[in-house]
Amino acid sequence: MATMAEGTASGQEVRLETERLLLRPWQVSEAAVQRELWLERDPRVPPHRRIGAGGRPTIADIEEWIRASRPSTTGLLAVQRKDAGDVIGYCGLVDSDAPDDGPELAYELLRRVWGQGYATEAAQAVLDWAKASGFERLCATVWDWNVASRRVLAKLGFVETERTVEARGTNLRTSRPL
Ligand SMILES: CC(C)(COP(=O)(O)OP(=O)(O)OC[C@H]1O[C@@H](n2cnc3c(N)ncnc32)[C@H](O)[C@@H]1OP(=O)(O)O)[C@@H](O)C(=O)NCCC(=O)NCCS
């Protein structure tokens, strides 16, 4: 799969391109897409990652996050379909709590586009971006019940390194060299 990464070393905006997708920083006008992702989350996801009783995060909260975020060697990028032009979710890297494992791969897509290979395609571009930025390893954590995400990680070559049993399920830590 061909991927092009631009701007990673030059201080320009990060822009990754695959056959069907463009990955780039979020625009403030796209806050509603992020809120839709929050609304769609599985009830087994911990409460701090779901919309609270007071309706937070609101669109305004998310707009502030977008204004404050400047993806460079890490960051969560908007995933845009090249043909339709719509933003369907995010994929990117977040700092992990174990720096020796490298940053953590993260992705989430709107339910209406699941099952078409988009997460794997977007994540492959993020792997190339991480490598071009000089990282030597990536990690990812996933709940045991999250079969789709586990399959994406397996397709990308991540292997399980640790499991932690928690009240909501077993949390699997995975990793792979770049
Ligand atoms: C995880 C997620 C991003 C996957 O997106 P996607 O674009 O559908 O992923 P892909 O199409 O690239 O790959 C999904 C794979 O899982 C498989 N899969 C999906 N649901 C499955 C199920 N219930 N049982 C078995 N396999 C399943 C698909 O068949 C596919 O594998 P294949 O290519 O071998 O057929 C999407 O489900 C999502 O946004 N989930 C909520 C957020 C999330 O869980 N993020 C990750 C946190 S660790």
Side-chain angles (χ1 to χ4, degrees), residues 10-57:
S10 57
Q12 291 170 0
E13 217 169 59
V14 180
R15 188 184 154 95
L16 315 178
E17 194 168 346
T18 69
E19 196 181 330
R20 296 180 294 170
L21 304 171
L22 188 61
L23 281 72
R24 41 83 177 161
W26 283 87
Q27 295 170 10
V28 173
S29 59
E30 293 157 352
V33 178
Q34 284 197 30
R35 196 155 190 284
E36 199 177 343
L37 290 167
W38 277 75
L39 286 166
E40 287 187 352
R41 276 187 191 143
D42 190 287
R44 290 169 291 186
V45 169
H48 72 275
R49 297 202 19 92
R50 286 185 279 125
I51 301 283
R56 301 198 76 167

mmCIF file of all heavy atoms in Angstrom, residues 10-57:
data_model
loop_
_atom_site.group_PDB
_atom_site.id
_atom_site.type_symbol
_atom_site.label_atom_id
_atom_site.label_comp_id
_atom_site.label_asym_id
_atom_site.label_seq_id
_atom_site.Cartn_x
_atom_site.Cartn_y
_atom_site.Cartn_z
ATOM 1 N N SER A 10 9.787 18.974 8.402
ATOM 2 C CA SER A 10 10.014 20.348 7.970
ATOM 3 C C SER A 10 9.266 21.380 8.791
ATOM 4 O O SER A 10 9.367 22.565 8.533
ATOM 5 C CB SER A 10 9.587 20.467 6.512
ATOM 6 O OG SER A 10 8.243 20.071 6.427
ATOM 7 N N GLY A 11 8.470 20.927 9.788
ATOM 8 C CA GLY A 11 7.697 21.880 10.565
ATOM 9 C C GLY A 11 6.401 22.275 9.885
ATOM 10 O O GLY A 11 5.620 23.059 10.418
ATOM 11 N N GLN A 12 6.144 21.734 8.677
ATOM 12 C CA GLN A 12 4.868 22.014 8.004
ATOM 13 C C GLN A 12 3.782 21.141 8.627
ATOM 14 O O GLN A 12 4.063 20.223 9.381
ATOM 15 C CB GLN A 12 4.967 21.649 6.522
ATOM 16 C CG GLN A 12 5.879 22.563 5.742
ATOM 17 C CD GLN A 12 6.120 22.016 4.339
ATOM 18 O OE1 GLN A 12 5.607 20.979 3.966
ATOM 19 N NE2 GLN A 12 6.914 22.736 3.580
ATOM 20 N N GLU A 13 2.536 21.430 8.226
ATOM 21 C CA GLU A 13 1.416 20.625 8.686
ATOM 22 C C GLU A 13 1.579 19.162 8.273
ATOM 23 O O GLU A 13 1.995 18.903 7.140
ATOM 24 C CB GLU A 13 0.166 21.191 8.025
ATOM 25 C CG GLU A 13 -1.017 21.161 8.902
ATOM 26 C CD GLU A 13 -2.157 21.970 8.326
ATOM 27 O OE1 GLU A 13 -2.615 21.670 7.209
ATOM 28 O OE2 GLU A 13 -2.593 22.888 9.017
ATOM 29 N N VAL A 14 1.252 18.234 9.173
ATOM 30 C CA VAL A 14 1.337 16.812 8.828
ATOM 31 C C VAL A 14 0.234 16.470 7.832
ATOM 32 O O VAL A 14 -0.921 16.850 8.018
ATOM 33 C CB VAL A 14 1.157 15.934 10.089
ATOM 34 C CG1 VAL A 14 1.256 14.461 9.728
ATOM 35 C CG2 VAL A 14 2.168 16.301 11.146
ATOM 36 N N ARG A 15 0.595 15.732 6.792
ATOM 37 C CA ARG A 15 -0.377 15.347 5.760
ATOM 38 C C ARG A 15 0.054 13.991 5.230
ATOM 39 O O ARG A 15 1.131 13.849 4.663
ATOM 40 C CB ARG A 15 -0.343 16.399 4.657
ATOM 41 C CG ARG A 15 -1.401 16.268 3.620
ATOM 42 C CD ARG A 15 -1.163 17.335 2.556
ATOM 43 N NE ARG A 15 -1.710 16.908 1.300
ATOM 44 C CZ ARG A 15 -2.917 17.243 0.870
ATOM 45 N NH1 ARG A 15 -3.669 18.042 1.586
ATOM 46 N NH2 ARG A 15 -3.365 16.804 -0.277
ATOM 47 N N LEU A 16 -0.775 12.982 5.471
ATOM 48 C CA LEU A 16 -0.471 11.626 5.015
ATOM 49 C C LEU A 16 -1.512 11.233 3.980
ATOM 50 O O LEU A 16 -2.696 11.529 4.152
ATOM 51 C CB LEU A 16 -0.529 10.629 6.178
ATOM 52 C CG LEU A 16 0.148 11.026 7.502
ATOM 53 C CD1 LEU A 16 -0.064 9.929 8.548
ATOM 54 C CD2 LEU A 16 1.621 11.283 7.305
ATOM 55 N N GLU A 17 -1.067 10.541 2.947
ATOM 56 C CA GLU A 17 -2.011 10.171 1.894
ATOM 57 C C GLU A 17 -1.893 8.691 1.573
ATOM 58 O O GLU A 17 -0.789 8.154 1.474
ATOM 59 C CB GLU A 17 -1.714 11.023 0.648
ATOM 60 C CG GLU A 17 -2.837 10.961 -0.350
ATOM 61 C CD GLU A 17 -2.708 12.010 -1.454
ATOM 62 O OE1 GLU A 17 -1.906 12.953 -1.313
ATOM 63 O OE2 GLU A 17 -3.415 11.843 -2.457
ATOM 64 N N THR A 18 -3.035 8.031 1.451
ATOM 65 C CA THR A 18 -3.075 6.635 1.013
ATOM 66 C C THR A 18 -3.945 6.585 -0.236
ATOM 67 O O THR A 18 -4.416 7.617 -0.714
ATOM 68 C CB THR A 18 -3.698 5.720 2.096
ATOM 69 O OG1 THR A 18 -5.089 6.032 2.197
ATOM 70 C CG2 THR A 18 -3.032 5.900 3.449
ATOM 71 N N GLU A 19 -4.200 5.377 -0.700
ATOM 72 C CA GLU A 19 -5.010 5.237 -1.916
ATOM 73 C C GLU A 19 -6.373 5.941 -1.774
ATOM 74 O O GLU A 19 -6.796 6.677 -2.654
ATOM 75 C CB GLU A 19 -5.214 3.742 -2.156
ATOM 76 C CG GLU A 19 -5.686 3.391 -3.518
ATOM 77 C CD GLU A 19 -5.891 1.889 -3.643
ATOM 78 O OE1 GLU A 19 -5.180 1.126 -2.958
ATOM 79 O OE2 GLU A 19 -6.778 1.496 -4.423
ATOM 80 N N ARG A 20 -7.054 5.718 -0.626
ATOM 81 C CA ARG A 20 -8.421 6.250 -0.487
ATOM 82 C C ARG A 20 -8.556 7.388 0.513
ATOM 83 O O ARG A 20 -9.618 7.998 0.617
ATOM 84 C CB ARG A 20 -9.354 5.107 -0.036
ATOM 85 C CG ARG A 20 -9.497 3.993 -1.032
ATOM 86 C CD ARG A 20 -10.435 2.917 -0.505
ATOM 87 N NE ARG A 20 -9.883 2.227 0.665
ATOM 88 C CZ ARG A 20 -10.560 1.379 1.430
ATOM 89 N NH1 ARG A 20 -11.833 1.118 1.158
ATOM 90 N NH2 ARG A 20 -9.981 0.789 2.463
ATOM 91 N N LEU A 21 -7.485 7.639 1.282
ATOM 92 C CA LEU A 21 -7.620 8.526 2.449
ATOM 93 C C LEU A 21 -6.577 9.618 2.499
ATOM 94 O O LEU A 21 -5.451 9.460 2.006
ATOM 95 C CB LEU A 21 -7.487 7.693 3.736
ATOM 96 C CG LEU A 21 -8.450 6.511 3.899
ATOM 97 C CD1 LEU A 21 -8.033 5.662 5.096
ATOM 98 C CD2 LEU A 21 -9.892 7.001 4.055
ATOM 99 N N LEU A 22 -6.983 10.709 3.151
ATOM 100 C CA LEU A 22 -6.075 11.799 3.466
ATOM 101 C C LEU A 22 -6.115 11.948 4.988
ATOM 102 O O LEU A 22 -7.197 11.998 5.561
ATOM 103 C CB LEU A 22 -6.613 13.064 2.798
ATOM 104 C CG LEU A 22 -5.763 14.297 2.812
ATOM 105 C CD1 LEU A 22 -4.455 14.049 2.090
ATOM 106 C CD2 LEU A 22 -6.534 15.434 2.114
ATOM 107 N N LEU A 23 -4.949 12.000 5.635
ATOM 108 C CA LEU A 23 -4.890 12.206 7.085
ATOM 109 C C LEU A 23 -4.199 13.541 7.321
ATOM 110 O O LEU A 23 -3.083 13.763 6.828
ATOM 111 C CB LEU A 23 -4.096 11.081 7.772
ATOM 112 C CG LEU A 23 -4.828 9.758 7.995
ATOM 113 C CD1 LEU A 23 -5.045 8.991 6.700
ATOM 114 C CD2 LEU A 23 -4.061 8.887 8.989
ATOM 115 N N ARG A 24 -4.870 14.418 8.059
ATOM 116 C CA ARG A 24 -4.341 15.781 8.251
ATOM 117 C C ARG A 24 -4.942 16.348 9.526
ATOM 118 O O ARG A 24 -5.885 15.778 10.088
ATOM 119 C CB ARG A 24 -4.628 16.627 7.008
ATOM 120 C CG ARG A 24 -6.006 16.451 6.373
ATOM 121 C CD ARG A 24 -7.036 17.283 7.069
ATOM 122 N NE ARG A 24 -8.360 17.250 6.514
ATOM 123 C CZ ARG A 24 -9.419 17.627 7.211
ATOM 124 N NH1 ARG A 24 -9.325 17.982 8.482
ATOM 125 N NH2 ARG A 24 -10.621 17.609 6.681
ATOM 126 N N PRO A 25 -4.429 17.523 10.020
ATOM 127 C CA PRO A 25 -4.965 18.083 11.266
ATOM 128 C C PRO A 25 -6.469 18.370 11.163
ATOM 129 O O PRO A 25 -6.978 18.693 10.077
ATOM 130 C CB PRO A 25 -4.163 19.376 11.444
ATOM 131 C CG PRO A 25 -2.896 19.149 10.690
ATOM 132 C CD PRO A 25 -3.283 18.300 9.510
ATOM 133 N N TRP A 26 -7.150 18.295 12.303
ATOM 134 C CA TRP A 26 -8.581 18.605 12.355
ATOM 135 C C TRP A 26 -8.814 20.087 12.109
ATOM 136 O O TRP A 26 -8.003 20.929 12.504
ATOM 137 C CB TRP A 26 -9.126 18.261 13.744
ATOM 138 C CG TRP A 26 -9.342 16.802 13.931
ATOM 139 C CD1 TRP A 26 -8.421 15.892 14.360
ATOM 140 C CD2 TRP A 26 -10.546 16.077 13.690
ATOM 141 N NE1 TRP A 26 -8.980 14.641 14.397
ATOM 142 C CE2 TRP A 26 -10.281 14.730 13.998
ATOM 143 C CE3 TRP A 26 -11.821 16.429 13.245
ATOM 144 C CZ2 TRP A 26 -11.254 13.728 13.867
ATOM 145 C CZ3 TRP A 26 -12.788 15.437 13.124
ATOM 146 C CH2 TRP A 26 -12.506 14.103 13.423
ATOM 147 N N GLN A 27 -9.961 20.408 11.499
ATOM 148 C CA GLN A 27 -10.401 21.805 11.383
ATOM 149 C C GLN A 27 -11.491 22.051 12.433
ATOM 150 O O GLN A 27 -12.280 21.136 12.727
ATOM 151 C CB GLN A 27 -10.958 22.057 9.978
ATOM 152 C CG GLN A 27 -9.881 21.918 8.917
ATOM 153 C CD GLN A 27 -10.432 21.914 7.496
ATOM 154 O OE1 GLN A 27 -11.610 22.206 7.277
ATOM 155 N NE2 GLN A 27 -9.589 21.574 6.547
ATOM 156 N N VAL A 28 -11.518 23.263 12.967
ATOM 157 C CA VAL A 28 -12.477 23.585 14.031
ATOM 158 C C VAL A 28 -13.911 23.290 13.579
ATOM 159 O O VAL A 28 -14.739 22.803 14.358
ATOM 160 C CB VAL A 28 -12.307 25.069 14.449
ATOM 161 C CG1 VAL A 28 -13.393 25.492 15.421
ATOM 162 C CG2 VAL A 28 -10.922 25.278 15.068
ATOM 163 N N SER A 29 -14.192 23.509 12.313
ATOM 164 C CA SER A 29 -15.548 23.289 11.786
ATOM 165 C C SER A 29 -15.948 21.808 11.792
ATOM 166 O O SER A 29 -17.108 21.480 11.534
ATOM 167 C CB SER A 29 -15.632 23.823 10.353
ATOM 168 O OG SER A 29 -14.667 23.156 9.553
ATOM 169 N N GLU A 30 -15.007 20.914 12.101
ATOM 170 C CA GLU A 30 -15.295 19.472 12.093
ATOM 171 C C GLU A 30 -15.532 18.908 13.504
ATOM 172 O O GLU A 30 -15.589 17.694 13.698
ATOM 173 C CB GLU A 30 -14.144 18.723 11.414
ATOM 174 C CG GLU A 30 -14.058 19.050 9.935
ATOM 175 C CD GLU A 30 -12.698 18.809 9.312
ATOM 176 O OE1 GLU A 30 -11.719 18.522 10.049
ATOM 177 O OE2 GLU A 30 -12.584 18.931 8.075
ATOM 178 N N ALA A 31 -15.720 19.801 14.493
ATOM 179 C CA ALA A 31 -15.911 19.350 15.879
ATOM 180 C C ALA A 31 -17.102 18.390 16.004
ATOM 181 O O ALA A 31 -17.079 17.459 16.817
ATOM 182 C CB ALA A 31 -16.105 20.561 16.794
ATOM 183 N N ALA A 32 -18.142 18.597 15.207
ATOM 184 C CA ALA A 32 -19.340 17.747 15.308
ATOM 185 C C ALA A 32 -19.029 16.288 14.975
ATOM 186 O O ALA A 32 -19.670 15.373 15.504
ATOM 187 C CB ALA A 32 -20.427 18.275 14.388
ATOM 188 N N VAL A 33 -18.051 16.065 14.115
ATOM 189 C CA VAL A 33 -17.687 14.672 13.785
ATOM 190 C C VAL A 33 -17.081 14.001 15.026
ATOM 191 O O VAL A 33 -17.412 12.858 15.353
ATOM 192 C CB VAL A 33 -16.683 14.625 12.611
ATOM 193 C CG1 VAL A 33 -16.284 13.187 12.304
ATOM 194 C CG2 VAL A 33 -17.236 15.318 11.381
ATOM 195 N N GLN A 34 -16.225 14.736 15.725
ATOM 196 C CA GLN A 34 -15.635 14.160 16.941
ATOM 197 C C GLN A 34 -16.713 13.876 17.980
ATOM 198 O O GLN A 34 -16.678 12.861 18.665
ATOM 199 C CB GLN A 34 -14.597 15.106 17.534
ATOM 200 C CG GLN A 34 -13.300 15.103 16.776
ATOM 201 C CD GLN A 34 -12.161 15.698 17.590
ATOM 202 O OE1 GLN A 34 -12.133 15.615 18.809
ATOM 203 N NE2 GLN A 34 -11.217 16.297 16.906
ATOM 204 N N ARG A 35 -17.714 14.781 18.085
ATOM 205 C CA ARG A 35 -18.761 14.555 19.092
ATOM 206 C C ARG A 35 -19.605 13.332 18.720
ATOM 207 O O ARG A 35 -20.033 12.570 19.578
ATOM 208 C CB ARG A 35 -19.642 15.785 19.261
ATOM 209 C CG ARG A 35 -20.444 15.701 20.553
ATOM 210 C CD ARG A 35 -20.840 17.041 21.081
ATOM 211 N NE ARG A 35 -21.392 16.929 22.424
ATOM 212 C CZ ARG A 35 -22.605 16.480 22.707
ATOM 213 N NH1 ARG A 35 -23.407 16.083 21.742
ATOM 214 N NH2 ARG A 35 -23.021 16.414 23.958
ATOM 215 N N GLU A 36 -19.811 13.132 17.427
ATOM 216 C CA GLU A 36 -20.547 11.944 16.974
ATOM 217 C C GLU A 36 -19.797 10.674 17.401
ATOM 218 O O GLU A 36 -20.406 9.698 17.824
ATOM 219 C CB GLU A 36 -20.709 12.011 15.451
ATOM 220 C CG GLU A 36 -21.800 11.120 14.913
ATOM 221 C CD GLU A 36 -21.972 11.274 13.401
ATOM 222 O OE1 GLU A 36 -21.502 12.275 12.818
ATOM 223 O OE2 GLU A 36 -22.559 10.349 12.807
ATOM 224 N N LEU A 37 -18.475 10.709 17.300
ATOM 225 C CA LEU A 37 -17.686 9.555 17.737
ATOM 226 C C LEU A 37 -17.912 9.299 19.231
ATOM 227 O O LEU A 37 -18.086 8.155 19.662
ATOM 228 C CB LEU A 37 -16.195 9.793 17.474
ATOM 229 C CG LEU A 37 -15.752 9.800 16.005
ATOM 230 C CD1 LEU A 37 -14.339 10.362 15.873
ATOM 231 C CD2 LEU A 37 -15.819 8.395 15.399
ATOM 232 N N TRP A 38 -17.925 10.370 20.017
ATOM 233 C CA TRP A 38 -18.173 10.229 21.464
ATOM 234 C C TRP A 38 -19.550 9.604 21.702
ATOM 235 O O TRP A 38 -19.712 8.727 22.542
ATOM 236 C CB TRP A 38 -18.102 11.596 22.158
ATOM 237 C CG TRP A 38 -16.715 12.044 22.500
ATOM 238 C CD1 TRP A 38 -15.773 12.517 21.643
ATOM 239 C CD2 TRP A 38 -16.114 12.069 23.804
ATOM 240 N NE1 TRP A 38 -14.625 12.833 22.329
ATOM 241 C CE2 TRP A 38 -14.810 12.581 23.657
ATOM 242 C CE3 TRP A 38 -16.556 11.724 25.080
ATOM 243 C CZ2 TRP A 38 -13.936 12.733 24.732
ATOM 244 C CZ3 TRP A 38 -15.689 11.882 26.155
ATOM 245 C CH2 TRP A 38 -14.399 12.372 25.980
ATOM 246 N N LEU A 39 -20.564 10.082 20.950
ATOM 247 C CA LEU A 39 -21.938 9.607 21.144
ATOM 248 C C LEU A 39 -22.094 8.136 20.770
ATOM 249 O O LEU A 39 -22.917 7.425 21.331
ATOM 250 C CB LEU A 39 -22.911 10.454 20.313
ATOM 251 C CG LEU A 39 -23.175 11.861 20.849
ATOM 252 C CD1 LEU A 39 -23.870 12.721 19.795
ATOM 253 C CD2 LEU A 39 -24.015 11.804 22.124
ATOM 254 N N GLU A 40 -21.298 7.693 19.803
ATOM 255 C CA GLU A 40 -21.436 6.322 19.293
ATOM 256 C C GLU A 40 -20.682 5.284 20.131
ATOM 257 O O GLU A 40 -20.796 4.096 19.861
ATOM 258 C CB GLU A 40 -20.871 6.245 17.871
ATOM 259 C CG GLU A 40 -21.734 6.899 16.823
ATOM 260 C CD GLU A 40 -21.205 6.649 15.417
ATOM 261 O OE1 GLU A 40 -20.091 6.088 15.263
ATOM 262 O OE2 GLU A 40 -21.889 7.009 14.463
ATOM 263 N N ARG A 41 -19.888 5.735 21.102
ATOM 264 C CA ARG A 41 -18.988 4.794 21.788
ATOM 265 C C ARG A 41 -19.716 3.672 22.508
ATOM 266 O O ARG A 41 -20.798 3.878 23.068
ATOM 267 C CB ARG A 41 -18.095 5.556 22.781
ATOM 268 C CG ARG A 41 -16.899 6.110 22.064
ATOM 269 C CD ARG A 41 -15.858 6.728 22.956
ATOM 270 N NE ARG A 41 -14.946 7.414 22.070
ATOM 271 C CZ ARG A 41 -14.347 8.573 22.324
ATOM 272 N NH1 ARG A 41 -14.526 9.165 23.493
ATOM 273 N NH2 ARG A 41 -13.552 9.126 21.442
ATOM 274 N N ASP A 42 -19.071 2.530 22.504
ATOM 275 C CA ASP A 42 -19.596 1.336 23.166
ATOM 276 C C ASP A 42 -19.777 1.620 24.664
ATOM 277 O O ASP A 42 -18.911 2.231 25.282
ATOM 278 C CB ASP A 42 -18.570 0.200 22.969
ATOM 279 C CG ASP A 42 -19.105 -1.144 23.406
ATOM 280 O OD1 ASP A 42 -19.230 -1.365 24.637
ATOM 281 O OD2 ASP A 42 -19.395 -1.976 22.530
ATOM 282 N N PRO A 43 -20.890 1.181 25.264
ATOM 283 C CA PRO A 43 -21.121 1.438 26.693
ATOM 284 C C PRO A 43 -20.062 0.810 27.601
ATOM 285 O O PRO A 43 -19.947 1.194 28.767
ATOM 286 C CB PRO A 43 -22.506 0.831 26.955
ATOM 287 C CG PRO A 43 -22.865 0.069 25.742
ATOM 288 C CD PRO A 43 -22.017 0.534 24.605
ATOM 289 N N ARG A 44 -19.280 -0.127 27.074
ATOM 290 C CA ARG A 44 -18.217 -0.734 27.899
ATOM 291 C C ARG A 44 -16.977 0.147 27.991
ATOM 292 O O ARG A 44 -16.072 -0.112 28.787
ATOM 293 C CB ARG A 44 -17.829 -2.110 27.326
ATOM 294 C CG ARG A 44 -18.912 -3.154 27.501
ATOM 295 C CD ARG A 44 -18.629 -4.411 26.706
ATOM 296 N NE ARG A 44 -18.746 -4.172 25.258
ATOM 297 C CZ ARG A 44 -18.668 -5.122 24.331
ATOM 298 N NH1 ARG A 44 -18.461 -6.378 24.702
ATOM 299 N NH2 ARG A 44 -18.790 -4.830 23.053
ATOM 300 N N VAL A 45 -16.916 1.217 27.166
ATOM 301 C CA VAL A 45 -15.788 2.149 27.225
ATOM 302 C C VAL A 45 -15.887 2.923 28.542
ATOM 303 O O VAL A 45 -16.984 3.300 28.955
ATOM 304 C CB VAL A 45 -15.847 3.097 26.001
ATOM 305 C CG1 VAL A 45 -14.863 4.238 26.142
ATOM 306 C CG2 VAL A 45 -15.581 2.317 24.723
ATOM 307 N N PRO A 46 -14.757 3.165 29.251
ATOM 308 C CA PRO A 46 -14.831 3.858 30.544
ATOM 309 C C PRO A 46 -15.574 5.196 30.455
ATOM 310 O O PRO A 46 -15.493 5.887 29.430
ATOM 311 C CB PRO A 46 -13.351 4.073 30.907
ATOM 312 C CG PRO A 46 -12.620 3.004 30.162
ATOM 313 C CD PRO A 46 -13.391 2.765 28.896
ATOM 314 N N PRO A 47 -16.307 5.560 31.520
ATOM 315 C CA PRO A 47 -17.180 6.746 31.504
ATOM 316 C C PRO A 47 -16.469 8.040 31.112
ATOM 317 O O PRO A 47 -17.075 8.891 30.458
ATOM 318 C CB PRO A 47 -17.689 6.838 32.949
ATOM 319 C CG PRO A 47 -17.505 5.483 33.517
ATOM 320 C CD PRO A 47 -16.395 4.810 32.776
ATOM 321 N N HIS A 48 -15.191 8.190 31.470
ATOM 322 C CA HIS A 48 -14.538 9.462 31.137
ATOM 323 C C HIS A 48 -14.323 9.617 29.628
ATOM 324 O O HIS A 48 -13.947 10.683 29.169
ATOM 325 C CB HIS A 48 -13.196 9.599 31.885
ATOM 326 C CG HIS A 48 -12.104 8.705 31.379
ATOM 327 N ND1 HIS A 48 -11.956 7.397 31.790
ATOM 328 C CD2 HIS A 48 -11.118 8.919 30.482
ATOM 329 C CE1 HIS A 48 -10.926 6.865 31.160
ATOM 330 N NE2 HIS A 48 -10.400 7.762 30.358
ATOM 331 N N ARG A 49 -14.585 8.543 28.858
ATOM 332 C CA ARG A 49 -14.472 8.646 27.397
ATOM 333 C C ARG A 49 -15.843 8.626 26.731
ATOM 334 O O ARG A 49 -15.975 8.397 25.540
ATOM 335 C CB ARG A 49 -13.578 7.524 26.848
ATOM 336 C CG ARG A 49 -12.166 7.650 27.389
ATOM 337 C CD ARG A 49 -11.046 6.997 26.616
ATOM 338 N NE ARG A 49 -11.244 6.643 25.242
ATOM 339 C CZ ARG A 49 -10.958 7.432 24.206
ATOM 340 N NH1 ARG A 49 -10.470 8.620 24.409
ATOM 341 N NH2 ARG A 49 -11.154 6.999 22.987
ATOM 342 N N ARG A 50 -16.892 8.841 27.548
ATOM 343 C CA ARG A 50 -18.240 8.944 26.973
ATOM 344 C C ARG A 50 -18.877 10.278 27.387
ATOM 345 O O ARG A 50 -18.421 10.908 28.335
ATOM 346 C CB ARG A 50 -19.096 7.759 27.442
ATOM 347 C CG ARG A 50 -18.668 6.492 26.715
ATOM 348 C CD ARG A 50 -19.542 5.312 27.023
ATOM 349 N NE ARG A 50 -19.182 4.708 28.283
ATOM 350 C CZ ARG A 50 -20.034 4.511 29.280
ATOM 351 N NH1 ARG A 50 -21.299 4.901 29.167
ATOM 352 N NH2 ARG A 50 -19.631 3.945 30.390
ATOM 353 N N ILE A 51 -19.912 10.699 26.652
ATOM 354 C CA ILE A 51 -20.570 11.978 26.956
ATOM 355 C C ILE A 51 -21.177 11.897 28.365
ATOM 356 O O ILE A 51 -21.909 10.955 28.673
ATOM 357 C CB ILE A 51 -21.694 12.276 25.925
ATOM 358 C CG1 ILE A 51 -21.121 12.343 24.502
ATOM 359 C CG2 ILE A 51 -22.451 13.558 26.301
ATOM 360 C CD1 ILE A 51 -20.390 13.606 24.130
ATOM 361 N N GLY A 52 -20.848 12.893 29.215
ATOM 362 C CA GLY A 52 -21.323 12.875 30.592
ATOM 363 C C GLY A 52 -22.752 13.378 30.702
ATOM 364 O O GLY A 52 -23.352 13.851 29.725
ATOM 365 N N ALA A 53 -23.292 13.293 31.928
ATOM 366 C CA ALA A 53 -24.677 13.691 32.178
ATOM 367 C C ALA A 53 -24.906 15.157 31.794
ATOM 368 O O ALA A 53 -25.975 15.531 31.338
ATOM 369 C CB ALA A 53 -25.022 13.457 33.639
ATOM 370 N N GLY A 54 -23.880 15.994 31.947
ATOM 371 C CA GLY A 54 -24.008 17.412 31.600
ATOM 372 C C GLY A 54 -23.791 17.692 30.117
ATOM 373 O O GLY A 54 -23.726 18.862 29.710
ATOM 374 N N GLY A 55 -23.673 16.616 29.323
ATOM 375 C CA GLY A 55 -23.529 16.807 27.878
ATOM 376 C C GLY A 55 -22.111 17.142 27.435
ATOM 377 O O GLY A 55 -21.887 17.535 26.287
ATOM 378 N N ARG A 56 -21.144 16.995 28.348
ATOM 379 C CA ARG A 56 -19.769 17.335 27.981
ATOM 380 C C ARG A 56 -19.005 16.096 27.541
ATOM 381 O O ARG A 56 -19.272 15.021 28.042
ATOM 382 C CB ARG A 56 -19.061 17.991 29.172
ATOM 383 C CG ARG A 56 -19.822 19.240 29.591
ATOM 384 C CD ARG A 56 -19.018 20.136 30.424
ATOM 385 N NE ARG A 56 -18.033 20.878 29.620
ATOM 386 C CZ ARG A 56 -17.358 21.919 30.097
ATOM 387 N NH1 ARG A 56 -17.571 22.342 31.316
ATOM 388 N NH2 ARG A 56 -16.479 22.540 29.352
ATOM 389 N N PRO A 57 -18.080 16.230 26.621
ATOM 390 C CA PRO A 57 -17.686 17.494 26.021
ATOM 391 C C PRO A 57 -18.727 18.016 25.028
ATOM 392 O O PRO A 57 -19.332 17.239 24.286
ATOM 393 C CB PRO A 57 -16.388 17.143 25.292
ATOM 394 C CG PRO A 57 -16.516 15.701 24.959
ATOM 395 C CD PRO A 57 -17.298 15.086 26.071
#
